[in-house]
Every structure is written in structure tokens, then in C-alpha cells.
Amino acid sequence: MRKELAFEDPVVAVDRGEAEPALVVDVDGFAGPLDLLLELARRQKVDLHKISVLALAEQYLGFIEAARSFRLELAADYLVMAAWLAYLKSRLLLPEPAKGDEPPAEELAQRLAFRLRRLEAVREAAKKLYDRPQLGRDVFGRGAPEPVRIDRKRDWDASLYDLLKAYAEQRQTKALSRVSFAKRFVWSLAEARDALDRLVGGGLDWTVLDDYLMAFVVDPAQRATVRASAFSATLEMVREGLIDLRQDGAFTPIFVRPRRPDIEEGASSA
Amino acid sequence: MKRSAEQRNMSDPSVFREGCRIVEALLFASADPLSGEELASRLPRDVHIADILARLREDYADRGVTLVEVAGRWTFRTSEDLSYLLAREAQETRKLSRAALETLAVIAYHQPVTRAEIEDIRGVSTHRGTLDSLMETGWIRLRGRRRTPGRPVTYGTTDAFLVHFGLTVVDDLPGLDELKGAGFLDGRLPPGFSVPVPSDDPSLREDEDPLEEDLFTRLAEEKASEVEEPLSDGEDA
Amino acid sequence: MKRSAEQRNMSDPSVFREGCRIVEALLFASADPLSGEELASRLPRDVHIADILARLREDYADRGVTLVEVAGRWTFRTSEDLSYLLAREAQETRKLSRAALETLAVIAYHQPVTRAEIEDIRGVSTHRGTLDSLMETGWIRLRGRRRTPGRPVTYGTTDAFLVHFGLTVVDDLPGLDELKGAGFLDGRLPPGFSVPVPSDDPSLREDEDPLEEDLFTRLAEEKASEVEEPLSDGEDA
């Protein structure tokens, strides 16, 4: 409870003289209403089993009344308990209704008495627990424990297979990375012109240019350079009036034939 | 039993003696109590750890340090009767408040127990700080959630609690029999239906659910909602 | 001496026994060794600490812990012959890095080999850490110094290398044909590609000098100069 709850006379209950009937209570010393009730019950100086709950309720209500007359603010749980005890008191004093939904007043009283006994028992247990030899207070462990030294032994995981694979792979990679620049093959325009001149000399009719050129291609990789140089050469030869070129559509084969004066008209009509 | 133990180990007394020395050394050196299994793993195969522990217990019974069993493990401790001399060695242990001690006792004797049940027994609302400071000692832990409306967290004690108070098992709690006999361990009234006993068995009870993985979120929620929590009115609702 | 000690303490044997228990407990619980004076200050006046220490020393002579004097102070220590109990071996399996494995393989096949040669063969620069970790495995060793400008250290493999990889001798490492046969190397190899026949003969080669006695100085030098070492560009220069 709060500081402002302290009574003028801060005498703790246990200091009270044997014969002193006055209720002198240090509210600060109580841990809640049940604790206060337990203290009040102890003052009945009877076994908690034989406690008069009615008397207890009256004492508690008297305490609350006294506290109020001092204009002390009481925490809500004290007031709730007071209300409940006032209710219990009236139930205990009045004759029991024949049949009620509520449990009989006697049972309510016994429940309260039970809770008080239980709280007291738990407190005793707590004290017994506290009185046990506690580590670091009454008994001590080894002050200088000797730590277990952990020798970390590293085991490296590598198999012969890993080793050989690593060796072979790097040697192979390295060996193959020694690139030599292969000389690039280029079919020169002169070579193309020579080849096409032979075509003209052969006196063939329309010929697919690619089919004709393939005869000169040694390596498929040379196809591009052969085609490029040959096409350039054919354009030159058309300009010179040596051959006719014909293509029927995009990406269709290019036809080529030697130009001959006798079929000039036909060619121009194509 | 005693004879058979001797018989078991008579085969080679020097092996038994060496076993005693090994266990003695391990227990002296260790900062924490050691289990019988841990000790046995360092012993020659034909030596029985139980016999060795019994022998050492006897050897040290009258000495300044004694062999004790705490939380099911073994350790040496200075003898209880010498505590008056060693008080000077005592490190400044934080003194628990009366409320904290009482709460600890309620948790120990009634575990697994919820905060509402603690409050019912103590007749007063529990300050968050009380449970926090107990958690800080490492003597109590959150066990799970009670399968009741609101799914309140259940509390229980830890091995560190047993070690600190020199208890082998939670059944050794002082005054437990009296509490049990009077039916005080049954939180719910009326008494006499069943007499539960405290259990710090890590496996959850039938009416306990595991804590969520995301415990911290829950704890934060709980802490946030704590202000609204109605004060215990000191009477069962 | 012994008799006088007994005489001194015979007056009350129970006081002497209690003194022993006290000293025992104090020494057990103390974090640091305690001097005779510190111990004596906790004893009944008529008990002589020297006698107690002598007695305890005797009591513990054959036990798993013994009473020892260090720097004029007293403490219990695990008996020396049991110190092995306090060491635990932790096996830790680590995988060798790819770079380390490759470097190891080059050293195995091409030994004795210098770092520059390793880099030339691998086509990449070698991190110091790679060689360090290989040294840690115990599988490679410094053999000597190559009789070339800069006198670089030569590396070779050890017996531990053979043991780990299950080789009887280092020439058991497969040669070119075997590597091909086992599919480690494929057919795309330039003419003249060869795999050396490894030899870990401990005797130095003609072009090797022994390592200096003061190896550490040299190693330090090597480490210091390492920054300037030109990185191999991965292409033969």
C-alpha cells in the first residue's frame, strides 16, 4: 500500500501489547486484503480452523471504517473485500433463504477460512524454502572451477578424388586457355573474280550463284567470306556488262548467267 | 545391495579407487553439477557410477565439503554447518522482496500455475516487476499456456531453482507433504477432489498448450494489456 | 616436528578436526588461492594452520584433487595425472577450399615447387591464406630454397599427406594416362601436355638449398614482401 496510507502510529501489529484491544495497524505492512484478514484472524488467537468468520468480517469492516475516518485512501481491492465481507456478514446474520441460487453463507465463510489457512501454509512453506541452505549464501560451490579445455582438432575433409579432380581440371583449363590465333581465311575479291570469270567462260545458262560457289568452298566456315566476295565481284561484272543477275524475291536464290548479245532482250525483260 | 556393490567392484579395487579419483576430480573441476551419465562416460566400463557416488558421499560426509545431489546432478558444496564462516565469501546476492519470495513459493508448490492462480492464493495482484525479477534469477520459467479462456501463461521452476535451493527434485520441497495433506495444493475449491503435486516436468500437462514460437510478441502484448487487467479482488470470482 | 604438532593439537582433537573442515571449505569456495595467514584468521586460536595444511595435504595426496601451494598460497587442484579429464577433444571437420585443394594438388604433383611456379601452373595468384591453411593441415611442408634469384622457398608434401589420401608413396598418384583413363582429363589436350611423376624424396634436389635455421625471420620477410609480388595474369608471360 502507499505511503499516505500509513497510520500516525506506525506500530506493527506484532508489537502490540497482549492486552491491548485497540486495532493499531500499519497498513503499509500488509500485502493486500487477504493478508490483512490473516493478521486479524491471528489476533483471534484461535486455530484458523475454528476462526469466527463473522467476527473477522466485523473486524475488517471496523478497520476499513477507521481508515476512512482518517480519510485515508484505500486501494480498490481492500474496498472490494470490504463490500464482499459486508455482504457475507448480512448473509450470516440473516436466516438462510429456503432455496437460493447462491451457495449457503456458511460455505462462503468456509471458503474464506480455507483461503486464509492456505495463505498461511504457503507463507510457512516460503519461509521453509528461504531457510534452506542456499547456494551462494549458506553453501558454496567450487570458487575456482577448472574449466574444461577444449582442444579443437581440425579434421580436413578432402578425398583423393577431390584432389585428382582439382588437379586435372586446372591443368586442363590452363592448357586449353593457351589460345593461338588461327589465321583468318578471307576469299579475296580477286579470287572471286577469277572464279566468276570461269563461269562466264563456261557459257552456262542461269545458275544459282550459291550452288556454283560451293564448288570453291573448302570449309563450311568459309561460306560467308566466299559469298560476300563473290557477290561484290558479280556486281562489278554486271556493271561491266559481263553477266546478268536475277533474284525473284528477298532471301530467294540469286541467279547468275553470262551475258550474251543474242539473248540480251530476254535478259532485260526478266 | 551394499554387498553386491562391493562384489561388483571387488574384482579390481584399484580400478574402483581410480574411478573415485576421476569422479572426484571431475566434480571438483566443474562449475556446474554433473549428471551420473556425464560422469560415467569418463569412467572405465566396469565401474559403477552409483557405487562411486555412494562411496564419495560417505568419504566426504564429515568433511568441510560434501557431495550433494541437486536437480538430479552431482556436485560438491561446502558443508551447511560452516555457512557462518563462509558468510564473508558470500557474493552480494540480491535479496528477494517478500512478495517475490512468496510468489516464488507459490510457483514452486503449485506449478504449473497461472498468474491469476498466484493472485488467488496470495490474495493480491502481482506486480509485473515481481515476476520479472523472478525470471531474472533464472529460477522460474514460462511453461506454456493453460487451456482456459484467455489462454494464460503457466509458470514453473527451473533446474537452476533446484540447484540454488539444494533440492534434488521438486518433490523435495520442504513442507510439501503438509500442504498436500491439507489440500492446499488444489487451487480450486472445494478441497479433497484430487490432490495435485507440483511438477516441473518439462512435458506439458493435459491442460497446457505450448507457448507460441513467437513468444516475444505475446509477452509484449501481455505487457501492454497488463494495465487493463482487473485487480484481484481477493476473492474467487 | 610431527610429534610436536600432534602434541600441540592433541589437547582437543575435535577442535583440530573442525579446523581441517574449515580450511577445506575455505579453500574449496575461494576463487583465489589463500595464504596461511588468511586461513589462520578464520580458525580457532589454538589451532596451527601449518599442521592443518600438512594434514589436509596428506589426506588428499592420493585423491582426485590435491592441495597445492602456489606462490605461497594454498589451493585445491585437479591431480596432475588426471588433468587429461579436463581436456576435451573437439573434432571439427572442415572442407578444404577449392583454391587450397588445387594448390595442394599442384604441390603434390610438381614438388619441390615454389610459389611462383604454383602460380604459373595454376594461372592465378596464390593467397597467403591458402598456403597457411595447407600448412595447418600438416599435408605440406617447406622443403628448402630454390637456387634461383630471390631464393624462393620450395614446397613439398608430407607423410601425413600420404596417410590422409591413402597413398603408400607419392608416385602412387596417377599419371597422365591414368588420369585420362579415369576421365579426369579428356582428349582436348594440346600436344606436349604432361603430368610430372611426383617425388617427395626428402633429400634436397640439386637446385635446392636447405632452409636457414632462422626460418622465422625469412618467413616474416617473405610475408612483408608479399604485397609487392606481381599477380600472375593468368596467361603465360
Side-chain angles (χ1 to χ4, degrees):
Chain A
M1 297 208 50
R2 321 217 152 59
K3 223 181 287 162
E4 67 265 25
L5 289 180
F7 274 56
E8 315 274 73
D9 182 0
V11 180
V12 186
V14 287
D15 294 335
R16 195 175 53 98
E18 287 280 308
E20 200 176 337
L23 184 65
V24 182
V25 175
D26 174 11
V27 187
D28 244 354
F30 290 99
L34 206 57
D35 189 36
L36 172 57
L37 272 172
L38 186 58
E39 176 55 32
L40 293 171
R42 282 206 195 100
R43 290 184 191 187
Q44 290 192 5
K45 294 199 186 90
V46 287
D47 188 334
L48 274 179
H49 287 276
K50 295 172 190 157
I51 197 166
S52 160
V53 173
L54 185 59
L56 194 60
E58 277 168 352
Q59 283 174 27
Y60 185 92
L61 292 170
F63 168 83
I64 297 298
E65 205 50 50
R68 278 190 166 155
S69 70
F70 280 99
R71 296 179 180 198
L72 291 175
E73 268 183 59
L74 285 170
D77 25 353
Y78 284 82
L79 298 177
V80 170
M81 177 62 92
W84 188 82
L85 286 173
Y87 164 76
L88 178 63
K89 188 181 143 190
S90 66
R91 288 279 308 271
L92 286 169
L93 292 174
L94 293 169
E96 279 297 324
K99 240 193 230 168
D101 295 336
E102 309 247 334
E106 199 49 44
E107 192 185 315
L108 289 177
Q110 275 179 14
R111 279 195 198 182
L112 179 63
F114 175 84
R115 290 190 67 202
L116 290 174
R117 290 200 305 275
R118 184 177 63 181
L119 179 61
E120 189 169 58
V122 163
R123 292 224 168 125
E124 264 163 40
K127 189 180 177 311
K128 279 182 193 156
L129 183 66
Y130 185 73
D131 288 344
R132 275 195 68 81
Q134 290 184 45
L135 180 62
R137 187 190 72 178
D138 308 298
V139 295
F140 299 87
R142 178 84 186 271
E146 294 166 69
V148 171
R149 188 180 70 247
I150 295 177
D151 296 333
R152 288 203 186 283
K153 210 175 134 202
R154 276 216 185 126
D155 194 13
W156 294 92
D157 179 27
S159 67
L160 186 61
Y161 175 83
D162 296 332
L163 186 75
L164 298 178
K165 191 158 170 282
Y167 182 69
E169 275 179 13
Q170 62 179 324
R171 286 297 312 279
Q172 178 140 326
T173 307
K174 183 74 194 313
L176 293 177
S177 71
R178 293 163 195 252
V179 287
S180 52
F181 289 100
K183 224 181 165 147
R184 205 163 154 211
F185 174 80
V186 179
W187 213 45
S188 69
L189 276 172
E191 284 173 291
R193 181 70 190 247
D194 282 351
L196 288 168
D197 279 345
R198 258 175 269 160
L199 174 69
V200 174
L204 297 169
D205 202 352
W206 290 111
T207 306
V208 176
L209 180 61
D210 273 16
D211 291 348
Y212 176 71
L213 290 175
M214 282 317 107
F216 299 91
V217 173
V218 185
D219 183 340
Q222 296 171 357
R223 191 172 293 179
T225 180
V226 167
R227 184 179 288 155
S229 298
F231 187 63
S232 298
T234 51
L235 290 178
E236 182 72 13
M237 287 166 79
V238 169
R239 196 177 60 82
E240 291 171 13
L242 296 174
I243 56 170
D244 291 324
L245 270 184
R246 177 180 144 186
Q247 187 177 29
D248 296 335
F251 303 112
T252 55
I254 296 169
F255 292 89
V256 62
R257 73 169 180 193
R259 182 178 290 183
R260 278 174 289 179
D262 52 304
I263 51 168
E264 202 166 327
E265 305 84 61
S268 58
S269 72
Chain B
M1 171 62 202
K2 176 117 202 220
R3 194 184 305 171
S4 75
E6 261 166 46
Q7 270 175 340
R8 281 211 294 259
N9 294 292
M10 264 326 251
S11 51
D12 194 345
S14 76
V15 171
F16 184 73
R17 264 197 63 242
E18 190 63 10
C20 285
R21 295 184 70 230
I22 289 171
V23 171
E24 205 171 32
L26 287 170
L27 289 175
F28 254 76
S30 173
D32 300 304
L34 298 173
S35 70
E37 294 79 51
E38 286 169 313
L39 293 166
S41 72
R42 310 301 292 267
L43 288 177
R45 228 176 252 175
D46 45 349
V47 184
H48 293 262
I49 182 64
D51 301 338
I52 286 184
L53 289 168
R55 173 62 172 276
L56 285 177
R57 204 166 197 174
E58 208 177 286
D59 285 356
Y60 280 91
D62 300 325
R63 305 206 68 108
V65 290
T66 49
L67 182 61
V68 295
E69 188 184 2
V70 287
R73 297 188 183 75
W74 297 84
T75 186
F76 280 113
R77 291 279 186 256
T78 56
S79 301
E80 285 173 28
D81 65 310
L82 295 175
S83 72
Y84 72 99
L85 267 167
L86 294 162
R88 251 191 279 176
E89 312 299 311
Q91 54 271 56
E92 208 39 64
T93 45
R94 189 208 348 235
K95 223 174 139 61
L96 281 184
S97 68
R98 195 181 117 174
L101 188 67
E102 214 172 274
T103 304
L104 175 64
V106 173
I107 292 173
Y109 289 83
H110 293 262
Q111 61 186 308
V113 66
T114 67
R115 184 164 158 177
E117 288 160 356
I118 297 169
E119 295 186 341
D120 180 53
I121 291 165
R122 293 192 57 228
V124 67
S125 56
T126 308
H127 289 284
R128 182 87 221 171
T130 305
L131 284 169
D132 281 349
S133 72
L134 282 175
M135 291 292 282
E136 229 176 274
T137 61
W139 297 338
I140 67 164
R141 65 185 188 91
L142 305 177
R143 287 178 49 92
R145 288 188 176 277
R146 177 67 50 75
R147 213 171 290 153
T148 54
R151 305 187 68 245
V153 167
T154 51
Y155 293 89
T157 56
T158 62
D159 275 359
F161 166 80
L162 297 176
V163 169
H164 182 88
F165 289 97
L167 298 163
T168 305
V169 287
V170 83
D171 290 345
D172 290 348
L173 282 167
L176 184 60
D177 288 342
E178 290 93 304
L179 283 167
K180 209 195 301 184
F184 289 142
L185 295 186
D186 187 346
R188 288 150 288 265
L189 291 169
F193 277 119
S194 66
V195 183
V197 287
S199 161
D200 57 359
D201 187 338
S203 57
L204 295 174
R205 293 227 178 143
E206 257 182 33
D207 61 351
E208 278 181 300
D209 279 336
L211 291 165
E212 294 72 19
E213 304 87 69
D214 192 8
L215 179 60
F216 290 103
T217 320
R218 282 296 181 139
L219 282 178
E221 277 169 25
E222 203 161 89
K223 190 143 192 151
S225 71
E226 173 181 19
V227 204
E228 282 89 56
E229 218 161 300
L231 291 172
S232 159
D233 60 5
E235 192 51 40
D236 24 4
Chain C
M1 170 63 199
K2 179 124 200 219
R3 195 184 307 172
S4 75
E6 261 168 46
Q7 271 175 341
R8 280 209 298 258
N9 293 295
M10 263 328 247
S11 52
D12 194 346
S14 75
V15 171
F16 183 73
R17 265 198 61 240
E18 191 63 8
C20 285
R21 295 184 70 230
I22 291 169
V23 170
E24 205 169 38
L26 286 170
L27 288 175
F28 174 81
S30 172
D32 303 301
L34 296 173
S35 70
E37 296 76 50
E38 286 167 314
L39 292 165
S41 70
R42 309 285 190 93
L43 289 176
R45 236 177 243 177
D46 47 347
V47 183
H48 293 263
I49 182 65
D51 301 338
I52 285 182
L53 287 168
R55 173 62 175 276
L56 284 178
R57 200 165 201 174
E58 209 178 286
D59 285 355
Y60 281 91
D62 300 326
R63 306 209 65 110
V65 289
T66 48
L67 183 62
V68 295
E69 190 181 1
V70 284
R73 285 154 195 279
W74 297 84
T75 186
F76 280 116
R77 281 266 186 283
T78 304
S79 301
E80 258 173 53
D81 65 313
L82 295 177
S83 63
Y84 72 90
L85 288 170
L86 302 181
R88 199 184 320 145
E89 280 194 357
Q91 280 279 5
E92 198 178 89
T93 302
R94 285 262 218 111
K95 234 181 148 54
L96 222 49
S97 73
R98 173 86 199 173
L101 199 59
E102 285 182 9
T103 305
L104 175 65
V106 170
I107 292 173
Y109 272 96
H110 297 260
Q111 61 187 308
V113 65
T114 68
R115 181 164 159 178
E117 289 160 356
I118 296 169
E119 295 185 341
D120 184 49
I121 293 164
R122 294 191 56 220
V124 289
S125 60
T126 306
H127 287 283
R128 180 87 223 170
T130 305
L131 284 168
D132 282 348
S133 73
L134 282 175
M135 290 297 279
E136 209 187 298
T137 62
W139 295 337
I140 66 164
R141 66 189 186 91
L142 305 177
R143 286 176 50 93
R145 286 186 176 280
R146 177 68 48 74
R147 212 172 290 154
T148 55
R151 306 189 65 247
V153 169
T154 52
Y155 293 91
T157 55
T158 62
D159 283 352
F161 168 82
L162 297 178
V163 170
H164 181 91
F165 289 98
L167 300 164
T168 311
V169 287
V170 83
D171 352 351
D172 283 353
L173 282 171
L176 179 60
D177 291 341
E178 289 164 291
L179 286 172
K180 270 190 195 163
F184 287 112
L185 291 169
D186 61 29
R188 303 173 295 129
L189 288 171
F193 182 90
S194 70
V195 167
V197 178
S199 156
D200 57 359
D201 187 345
S203 58
L204 293 175
R205 299 243 175 123
E206 261 183 28
D207 62 350
E208 277 182 300
D209 280 336
L211 290 165
E212 296 73 17
E213 305 84 68
D214 191 8
L215 178 61
F216 290 103
T217 321
R218 284 296 180 141
L219 282 179
E221 277 169 25
E222 200 161 272
K223 187 139 198 159
S225 72
E226 171 180 20
V227 204
E228 284 90 53
E229 223 161 295
L231 291 175
S232 159
D233 60 3
E235 193 59 40
D236 25 6

